[in-house]
Amino acid sequence: MTQAGCGQAGPWRRFALLAGLAMAVTGGGLYLFIVTVDPWNILPFSPPLARIPVTSNARYTMPALARAPQFDSVIIGTSTSRLMQPAVLGPPLGAHFLNMAMNSASPWEQSRELDAFLHAHPAPRIVLIGIDAAWCHPRPGSLSGPNRPWPEWMYGHPAWTGYLHMASLYALQEAANEFLWLAGRKAQRFGSDGYTSFVPPDSQYDPARVQAIFSRWAPADNTPAPPGMADTPPAGMDLLAGMLARMPATTRRVVWFPPASTFLHGTPGSVADARLAACRLGVRQITAPRHDTLVLDFNQDTALTGNRDNFWDPLHYRQPVARRIMAIITTAITTGHVDDPAVEISPAHAPP
């Protein structure tokens, strides 16, 4: 190399070293910011800040809520269980509920959520499990994995492993959101008891708009059901049986079918009708031997499910329906029976 070439290499070498040092300092500073803010409240050595859920994918926020000592009861399910409000359901039952229901939660995800709650609360008072299409017509793979991005490192793994997952743009984004809330610059969006209403205010209900949504929704499968379909419970029932079995005898178990519009029920003898019948059969086979489990079926063909004005879309009911459901659940748990045509109760166990 010529003398001129060596002279030119010096400045470039210094520039590369300074640039590398600057990136290391910046990256290290950002990482320190993330692990200090700890947006998912999962790290063992982060400061004890008054954090709230900030991430829209609840799979990241539920593990920390599951560990919170103020809860003694839990709601598990998909979006069809999200309107169960702990502040309404808990007080008359003397319970402190955490709503862990998540959009599109697979049966596998729901099972893992329950395990996270049981790890922190080995003897919960009441556990509600919502049974809907996720259980009755599971997606391929949903019995052995998640439906959406899933932070497995948060569920049942040593807390220190979280430090290995904080060097990401997603963690930086959520740390910034958490920091803005801690600094008083951001409003709380998601409830600290897991409850967040995801439907519009009831004052905005527009029947014409809802009717248009129904017209665009994929209709029920009304093709004739194959012989024996209604007598073959879906495979996910094994997961449900395992969830019920992992709870102690003192836990009051409630398995319930949230209401969906009869638009989704299908005609008698159809695939949709047989699928729902097979799901009911599977739940009945699991729960019949158990005297600690109450089954409430709101998904019958009733005036409630037949009236489209009770729904925002074929799957999601309105707030007044949610309040009616919570009142029925409360009565069923405390008395063992219900006098309401919107629900079928079985078996009519005596209250604990």
Side-chain angles (χ1 to χ4, degrees):
M1 181 181 292
T2 66
Q3 185 174 2
C6 290
Q8 292 174 352
W12 279 110
R13 185 177 297 110
R14 287 193 297 272
F15 172 78
L17 290 173
L18 290 173
L21 180 62
M23 287 188 289
V25 170
T26 301
L30 291 175
Y31 181 78
L32 183 61
F33 169 74
I34 294 170
V35 299
T36 300
V37 174
D38 186 9
W40 300 304
N41 199 19
I42 202 75
L43 302 175
F45 303 115
S46 59
L49 304 175
R51 299 174 180 86
I52 61 167
V54 294
T55 302
S56 59
N57 184 351
R59 289 149 181 83
Y60 285 80
T61 64
M62 289 304 172
L65 293 179
R67 298 196 316 270
Q70 67 265 32
F71 302 117
D72 59 21
S73 302
V74 68
I75 299 162
I76 302 289
T78 70
S79 59
T80 59
S81 295
R82 283 188 60 192
L83 292 185
M84 296 296 98
Q85 191 170 355
V88 174
L89 191 61
L93 295 171
H96 299 87
F97 278 98
L98 168 63
N99 190 330
M100 297 185 76
M102 304 186 304
N103 293 350
S104 300
S106 71
W108 180 87
E109 288 174 304
Q110 295 179 48
S111 177
R112 298 289 286 123
E113 278 193 296
L114 179 62
D115 286 344
F117 189 82
L118 291 176
H119 181 75
H121 309 275
R125 293 193 59 199
I126 305 171
V127 174
L128 271 65
I129 302 175
I131 304 296
D132 59 10
W135 290 93
C136 300
H137 187 208
R139 301 177 186 177
S142 69
L143 301 180
S144 58
N147 282 338
R148 293 190 180 178
W150 175 266
E152 177 58 29
W153 53 273
M154 291 187 181
Y155 292 81
H157 294 268
W160 66 264
T161 62
Y163 288 98
L164 304 177
H165 298 270
M166 290 295 174
S168 72
L169 290 177
Y170 190 51
L172 176 60
Q173 168 189 289
E174 299 309 288
N177 287 330
E178 188 75 64
F179 178 79
L180 289 173
W181 182 84
L182 290 167
R185 305 300 299 272
K186 188 179 182 70
Q188 182 169 354
R189 178 183 175 190
F190 305 107
S192 296
D193 59 3
Y195 172 80
T196 302
S197 178
F198 66 100
V199 298
D202 219 56
S203 59
Q204 297 180 11
Y205 188 79
D206 181 357
R209 177 176 175 271
V210 171
Q211 184 61 37
I213 293 173
F214 268 79
S215 68
R216 296 192 298 268
W217 200 277
D221 188 345
N222 284 317
T223 57
M229 183 177 181
D231 302 319
T232 307
M237 293 298 106
D238 290 340
L239 270 176
L240 178 63
M243 292 169 70
L244 295 176
R246 290 197 291 277
M247 304 176 210
T250 55
T251 297
R252 185 63 163 159
R253 301 152 170 83
V254 180
V255 176
W256 69 293
F257 291 80
S261 169
T262 52
F263 175 87
L264 297 178
H265 291 178
T267 56
S270 67
V271 167
D273 179 58
R275 187 177 290 142
L276 185 54
C279 203
R280 290 194 181 105
L281 175 63
V283 169
R284 190 162 59 246
Q285 289 176 345
I286 292 169
T287 59
R290 308 191 66 100
H291 295 286
D292 52 14
T293 304
L294 191 66
V295 179
L296 299 171
D297 190 350
F298 294 88
N299 203 23
Q300 305 279 338
D301 289 334
T302 64
L304 187 153
T305 57
N307 185 355
R308 292 189 178 184
D309 287 341
N310 287 325
F311 296 88
W312 286 99
D313 59 49
L315 194 59
H316 299 107
Y317 46 86
R318 296 170 64 183
Q319 288 284 9
V321 175
R323 290 192 289 271
R324 182 178 178 183
I325 291 171
M326 287 186 284
I328 291 172
I329 290 174
T330 299
T331 300
I333 292 175
T334 54
T335 70
H337 61 84
V338 176
D339 185 17
D340 191 308
V343 64
E344 180 178 295
I345 180 172
S346 63
H349 295 313

